[in-house]
Amino acid sequence: MIAWTRGRTLAAGAALILLTNAVALSGVFINRSGEPESRLMLSERELSLPYRGYRQAENSGLALTLTWRVLDADEEGSDYGSSNYGVQPTWLDAAHLATLGFETSAGNATQEARERLARQLPRQVLVVFENAGPAWRQAVERARAGAARQAAAAAANPGSEAFAKQARAGQERVALEENHFSRLFAIDAGLDAATLRSRYPDRSRYLILRGTIRPTLRRHDRQYHIGGYISGVAIDHINVPFALRPLLEPLRNAPQPLPDASTPRYEVQLTVGQRLEPWIETLTTPAAKP
């Protein structure tokens, strides 16, 4: 039996670290080889800085958070512009879940059957995200319609501070939808990247990433139906390359822009490789542009 001296232990540990790094680097090389799977220009709205005052452990790195949304059945739009973990998109119904490998054949036979279906284990799938497309425009129109209803209610109830407050909140939401909230919406999911890409061929608008979907019960028309929601995206924190960090450091503790400010503080070219892993290729700020 070989005696494991301190020197042998250190050597084995160093070898393991080298092997781990080699595997990681080979994965990065494969991901970034050839033509990118997609390349999108996103802004601060879709790739947000850490919360004000937050510092990552011991400093050293800086990552932007992918901020995405879904359209649900709520016409008032209750998602407030952030990542919609747990919100049920209207397109993720029982029929769509079946195409992703979930068991849905029990339908709405009994409450017990529905609950059993909702307890199925989550599955990793491919999620399609659309940037600044019809889903975002629908969210803007929802906000405008809501603001119009609130303004009409305020006009019909002159002197009511409660209605006036709701009307002001409606106008503020319109400004937030138009200028601040993320324009990146999850609009579809599947199991085959080629099939999804043929359905959404514009690689500068549609992003395909790995995500996780969970089944759940959806209440609609006073009845419960099997549905689903996106519980996470495999990679939603994207590291900022060291050379680009100086552009963002002045913004980390700066006040957030006002709701009616339309100019983003930075724009990012996000590239997704062969393994559907994203990275930041370029980053610009208005001050840095010629």
Side-chain angles (χ1 to χ4, degrees):
M1 181 179 293
I2 299 175
W4 279 93
T5 64
R6 179 178 176 82
R8 286 180 181 274
T9 302
L10 290 175
L16 180 60
I17 292 173
L18 289 174
L19 178 61
T20 303
N21 288 339
V23 171
L25 289 173
S26 65
V28 170
F29 176 78
I30 293 171
N31 184 57
R32 301 190 184 188
S33 63
E35 285 297 312
E37 206 291 321
S38 59
R39 180 180 279 131
L40 285 75
M41 287 300 299
L42 304 175
S43 74
E44 180 179 12
R45 299 169 68 164
E46 294 78 41
L47 284 168
S48 59
L49 281 163
Y51 288 117
R52 187 175 179 181
Y54 173 74
R55 292 284 171 178
Q56 292 179 333
E58 299 189 359
N59 142 26
S60 53
L62 174 62
L64 300 181
T65 301
L66 188 71
T67 304
W68 52 273
R69 307 165 62 189
V70 299
L71 277 176
D72 63 7
D74 182 6
E75 292 294 333
E76 296 295 329
S78 58
D79 47 63
Y80 299 104
S82 9
S83 295
N84 289 166
Y85 296 106
V87 177
Q88 301 172 33
T90 54
W91 51 266
L92 194 50
D93 55 13
H96 202 131
L97 285 174
T99 68
L100 301 176
F102 289 98
E103 173 58 47
T104 61
S105 58
N108 290 314
T110 65
Q111 180 68 18
E112 181 182 357
R114 291 192 296 268
E115 291 177 353
R116 185 171 62 253
L117 292 177
R119 289 195 297 268
Q120 293 178 82
L121 293 176
R123 290 177 176 268
Q124 187 178 83
V125 301
L126 304 178
V127 182
V128 180
F129 295 90
E130 172 192 76
N131 186 49
W136 172 61
R137 289 192 288 272
Q138 185 176 346
V140 173
E141 288 306 315
R142 282 185 178 186
R144 290 172 178 167
R149 289 193 297 269
Q150 290 162 336
N157 295 272
S160 170
E161 179 56 31
F163 281 100
K165 184 177 180 179
Q166 291 177 359
R168 291 193 296 270
Q171 289 301 317
E172 181 176 334
R173 180 170 178 89
V174 172
L176 289 169
E177 280 286 4
E178 292 176 341
N179 303 316
H180 280 266
F181 287 170
S182 175
R183 298 161 294 181
L184 191 66
F185 281 76
I187 61 165
D188 203 351
L191 300 176
D192 182 69
T195 301
L196 291 173
R197 183 50 73 190
S198 66
R199 197 178 301 162
Y200 305 98
D202 189 346
R203 297 174 187 267
S204 65
R205 170 167 288 183
Y206 297 102
L207 179 70
I208 300 176
L209 296 175
R210 301 185 191 280
T212 302
I213 282 181
R214 293 177 178 270
T216 187
L217 292 178
R218 181 205 312 260
R219 183 176 173 84
H220 180 66
D221 292 336
R222 298 183 179 181
Q223 293 185 351
Y224 285 96
H225 305 268
I226 189 72
Y229 66 95
I230 303 166
S231 63
V233 175
I235 301 176
D236 60 0
H237 286 74
I238 298 102
N239 290 325
V240 179
F242 182 80
L244 299 177
R245 291 179 201 168
L247 294 172
L248 295 178
E249 285 297 338
L251 305 178
R252 295 185 72 174
N253 290 318
Q256 290 292 315
L258 297 174
D260 57 353
S262 58
T263 302
R265 298 186 297 175
Y266 56 85
E267 291 183 322
V268 173
Q269 182 170 276
L270 187 73
T271 304
V272 178
Q274 301 300 313
R275 288 160 50 111
L276 301 183
E277 296 173 358
W279 76 92
I280 293 173
E281 199 164 3
T282 64
L283 189 150
T284 58
T285 63
K289 291 182 180 180

